[in-house]
Amino acid sequence: MRFSRVRLLLPALVAILAACSEQKTARQEPAAPSVAAPDTTAARPATPAASATPDTSATHNVAAFLAGLPVSRQSELRTLTAQPAWQAYAADQTKSWTNYHTTRTAKIEQWAATELDSVRAASPTVFYPFSGPDFLNVTTMFPTSTTYVLMGLEPIGMVPDPATLENPRLFPALKASLWSVLNFSFFRTNDMAVELNSKKPDSNTLNKANSLVKTAERTNQRVNIGGVVPLLLLFAARTDHQVEALRYVQLTPEGQLADADSATVQKPGLNVVPGVEVKLRSKAGQEKTVVYLSADISDWKLGQTKDAALKYVRTLGPLTTYVKSATYLMHKSYFSKVRNLILERSNYLLQDDSGIAMKYFKPADWQFTYYGTYKRPINLFAKQYQPALTAAYTDKANPPRPLPFGTGYNWRQNDSNLLLARRQQPVQP
């Protein structure tokens, strides 16, 4: 089953790039002896002191290179960072990420430190369905979690090879792919780009985003690196994580992770759920695991794959689930299996209004805290309007709490909403 309206622009830029991170080691060597490395100290304010662990990972150096950050002295990529195309890209990324961390990361961290403090402490595992490669937002919301399970339709891809990395067309493609997630918090579809522009035609940000995409397409600046792996690596580096290991995996029919060869992951059979597992270490030394599964989790497709993806999620124990920009799929009857799993196995659910519709919650089982502002969905999803949310957000006896940042499809700060649902009786392991 395909959902053409929910295919990410990223896979289109994933043909450009692929499909659709707590702390990159700061104490690395300059990019090249004769060329000054970009100043990455400003990329994220008030980061802790760097870890003394040396950078010996070739995969991590690829992550740093993709992120526009310095690679280690011994890396084979060191000479590539002296090239003008990479230098210009790195300078641009330093500017973009400095702005992102100032205007978004800092606000989320300050808000979540208060509003999600107890949730974070009880969230070793976070399930993020319909995520694509968005490790960026989930690790910002839940920086102390140790396991993140992401799922999306986007293919796995591979660690880019040297020929891809030395191609100067890579950098405009990366820039175009990252623009919307850094400015809107989500990867855009083509339909959403049109919708948002028609709603806010005066938006310089949206106009610039469209210009970047069109320029990349017009000049054929396409580099096919195949899937989500490159962006997972990039986000890991830009959120100050050390990439320590990466392996390709697939799910057994019983829902267990098993090793997979690259051929199986790149061209999986109809009944195969391929994935990638990335081992990370934060700057504070915390070990983390990120699992991305390329899985269609509609009821029909889950039946075809023997519910392997949901069986795997059940092995993780009690969950914290995070849902954002999920195209309202779990409002629909044919996403009942994943919806029911989340409601059965989650102690906490943090979502915008595109997640699980309020009508599916049993009020006696949950405590709700509302944040921000609920407005009607953008026109593309107008049919998913929820009167129950309007009633909750206009309840003068229990007014919603502030949300000092934008998220979801109504991405502006004063237009966005989040719901935190806490289970009254915790799920037992």
Side-chain angles (χ1 to χ4, degrees), residues 128-180:
Y128 186 6
F130 313 102
S131 64
D134 185 24
F135 179 63
L136 174 62
N137 279 285
V138 71
T139 195
T140 304
M141 286 288 185
F142 301 99
T144 58
S145 298
T146 55
T147 302
Y148 305 86
V149 175
L150 282 57
M151 289 187 186
L153 290 176
E154 298 74 34
I156 303 303
M158 299 186 70
V159 178
D161 59 23
T164 298
L165 297 174
E166 68 185 13
N167 188 338
R169 291 182 175 181
L170 171 66
F171 307 121
L174 281 167
K175 183 178 177 180
S177 297
L178 291 170
W179 185 267
S180 63

Side-chain angles (χ1 to χ4, degrees), residues 42-220:
R44 191 162 188 238
T47 22
S51 169
T53 303
D55 176 7
T56 58
S57 167
T59 303
H60 179 77
N61 280 312
V62 172
F65 184 88
L66 292 170
L69 294 169
V71 301
S72 62
R73 181 182 296 276
Q74 67 271 29
S75 173
E76 295 179 356
L77 300 177
R78 185 172 167 78
T79 57
L80 296 183
T81 64
Q83 296 180 352
W86 185 88
Q87 293 268 311
Y89 169 73
D92 177 81
Q93 287 301 292
T94 295
K95 181 179 178 181
S96 295
W97 283 94
T98 298
N99 179 69
Y100 177 85
H101 288 314
T102 301
T103 60
R104 183 169 176 80
T105 304
K107 292 181 178 181
I108 293 176
E109 289 178 339
Q110 184 177 8
W111 174 83
T114 300
E115 300 297 337
L116 300 182
D117 183 42
S118 60
V119 180
R120 287 173 162 184
S123 300
T125 300
V126 180
F127 177 42
Y128 186 6
F130 313 102
S131 64
D134 185 24
F135 179 63
L136 174 62
N137 279 285
V138 71
T139 195
T140 304
M141 286 288 185
F142 301 99
T144 58
S145 298
T146 55
T147 302
Y148 305 86
V149 175
L150 282 57
M151 289 187 186
L153 290 176
E154 298 74 34
I156 303 303
M158 299 186 70
V159 178
D161 59 23
T164 298
L165 297 174
E166 68 185 13
N167 188 338
R169 291 182 175 181
L170 171 66
F171 307 121
L174 281 167
K175 183 178 177 180
S177 297
L178 291 170
W179 185 267
S180 63
V181 75
L182 294 182
N183 285 276
F184 314 140
S185 87
F186 62 88
F187 296 108
R188 304 174 310 146
T189 66
N190 288 315
D191 287 341
M192 276 187 276
V194 173
E195 162 60 24
L196 288 169
N197 269 327
S198 66
K199 186 177 181 182
K200 304 288 186 182
D202 59 340
S203 169
N204 291 330
T205 302
L206 284 161
N207 289 338
K208 188 169 183 179
N210 284 339
S211 176
L212 283 167
V213 173
K214 290 176 181 177
T215 298
E217 292 174 343
R218 183 171 60 250
T219 59
N220 197 31

Side-chain angles (χ1 to χ4, degrees), residues 340-419:
N340 290 340
L341 172 68
I342 291 170
L343 292 174
E344 291 168 8
R345 300 300 300 165
S346 298
N347 283 331
Y348 301 95
L349 172 58
L350 181 67
Q351 65 169 26
D352 65 11
D353 65 296
S354 74
I356 295 178
M358 295 303 295
K359 64 183 180 181
Y360 293 113
F361 288 92
K362 295 179 179 179
D365 293 344
W366 298 90
Q367 175 188 346
F368 302 112
T369 306
Y370 303 92
Y371 297 93
T373 302
Y374 178 68
K375 296 186 175 181
R376 289 181 176 273
I378 61 174
N379 288 343
L380 183 62
F381 304 116
K383 293 182 180 179
Q384 311 309 324
Y385 168 68
Q386 298 182 70
L389 277 182
T390 293
Y393 274 83
T394 55
D395 183 357
K396 294 182 178 179
N398 297 286
R401 296 175 64 82
L403 188 67
F405 55 89
T407 189
Y409 300 132
N410 284 310
W411 49 271
R412 287 178 171 81
Q413 177 174 324
N414 296 325
D415 294 344
S416 299
N417 65 81
L418 280 176
L419 166 68

Side-chain angles (χ1 to χ4, degrees), residues 172-387:
L174 281 167
K175 183 178 177 180
S177 297
L178 291 170
W179 185 267
S180 63
V181 75
L182 294 182
N183 285 276
F184 314 140
S185 87
F186 62 88
F187 296 108
R188 304 174 310 146
T189 66
N190 288 315
D191 287 341
M192 276 187 276
V194 173
E195 162 60 24
L196 288 169
N197 269 327
S198 66
K199 186 177 181 182
K200 304 288 186 182
D202 59 340
S203 169
N204 291 330
T205 302
L206 284 161
N207 289 338
K208 188 169 183 179
N210 284 339
S211 176
L212 283 167
V213 173
K214 290 176 181 177
T215 298
E217 292 174 343
R218 183 171 60 250
T219 59
N220 197 31
Q221 291 171 332
R222 295 173 180 265
V223 177
N224 186 358
I225 55 177
V228 305
V229 166
L231 283 182
L232 286 177
L233 295 177
L234 188 158
F235 288 147
R238 275 292 174 181
T239 53
D240 297 324
H241 289 83
Q242 180 81 16
V243 180
E244 301 211 321
L246 181 148
R247 71 169 178 140
Y248 301 108
V249 297
Q250 61 181 321
L251 290 180
T252 68
E254 296 73 35
Q256 300 294 319
L257 285 183
D259 289 339
D261 58 43
S262 59
T264 299
V265 168
Q266 300 311 308
K267 293 184 178 181
L270 292 177
N271 298 328
V272 174
V273 178
V276 62
E277 179 187 74
V278 185
K279 295 290 187 179
L280 304 176
R281 185 179 297 274
S282 74
K283 190 172 290 186
Q286 182 185 29
E287 295 180 352
K288 298 187 176 188
T289 300
V290 182
V291 175
Y292 172 81
L293 297 172
S294 180
D296 182 335
I297 50 177
S298 63
D299 291 353
W300 175 83
K301 187 62 177 180
L302 283 169
Q304 190 176 15
T305 57
K306 302 184 185 301
D307 289 353
L310 301 191
K311 290 176 183 175
Y312 170 68
V313 174
R314 289 186 181 277
T315 69
L316 302 173
L319 302 170
T320 290
T321 299
Y322 177 52
V323 184
K324 178 184 67 63
S325 307
T327 57
Y328 300 86
L329 291 176
M330 289 188 291
H331 284 218
K332 303 178 186 299
S333 60
Y334 47 90
F335 279 84
S336 64
K337 289 184 177 181
V338 65
R339 180 178 64 235
N340 290 340
L341 172 68
I342 291 170
L343 292 174
E344 291 168 8
R345 300 300 300 165
S346 298
N347 283 331
Y348 301 95
L349 172 58
L350 181 67
Q351 65 169 26
D352 65 11
D353 65 296
S354 74
I356 295 178
M358 295 303 295
K359 64 183 180 181
Y360 293 113
F361 288 92
K362 295 179 179 179
D365 293 344
W366 298 90
Q367 175 188 346
F368 302 112
T369 306
Y370 303 92
Y371 297 93
T373 302
Y374 178 68
K375 296 186 175 181
R376 289 181 176 273
I378 61 174
N379 288 343
L380 183 62
F381 304 116
K383 293 182 180 179
Q384 311 309 324
Y385 168 68
Q386 298 182 70

